[in-house]
Amino acid sequence: LVIVIDNIAYDCTYFLKEHPRGEQIIKSFGGAECSWQFWRFHGKKELEDFGRTEGMVNKFKEPQRYVGLKRLGDDEWD
């Protein structure tokens, strides 16, 4: 189960059963951003107990965006 804190994904699967308030609290934030909730009740040490997840890829391809007749980010007109 992955949660996102400060734009970093953390795998907290192995911590679920150890959470003092129960695993349902963490499960309710599964796959979601929960920075302010985490920092309200935890410190840096608790964050170090989680495994930082590397290499996660968004499964949805971002569509091209256009501004006028050129693609956003292009420096020259085609």
Side-chain angles (χ1 to χ4, degrees):
L1 181 74
V2 174
I3 60 173
V4 179
I5 302 167
D6 295 337
N7 296 320
I8 299 172
Y10 292 91
D11 183 356
C12 55
T13 304
Y14 299 105
F15 186 70
L16 285 174
K17 297 205 183 295
E18 296 176 26
H19 192 273
R21 304 291 265 167
E23 58 187 77
Q24 189 56 42
I25 291 174
I26 297 177
K27 284 182 176 180
S28 69
F29 291 105
E33 166 62 38
C34 60
S35 297
W36 74 263
Q37 292 93 339
F38 179 85
W39 291 119
R40 179 169 286 184
F41 300 103
H42 303 86
K44 192 169 186 148
K45 184 193 177 324
E46 286 84 8
L47 192 61
E48 292 168 356
D49 291 342
F50 296 138
R52 187 173 172 157
T53 304
E54 301 288 339
M56 292 185 68
V57 178
N58 190 323
K59 64 183 178 180
F60 300 102
K61 184 179 177 186
E62 183 177 9
Q64 280 190 332
R65 295 175 293 180
Y66 291 89
V67 177
L69 297 176
K70 76 179 218 177
R71 288 181 295 202
L72 187 61
D74 282 351
D75 293 331
E76 297 181 27
W77 290 90
D78 291 331

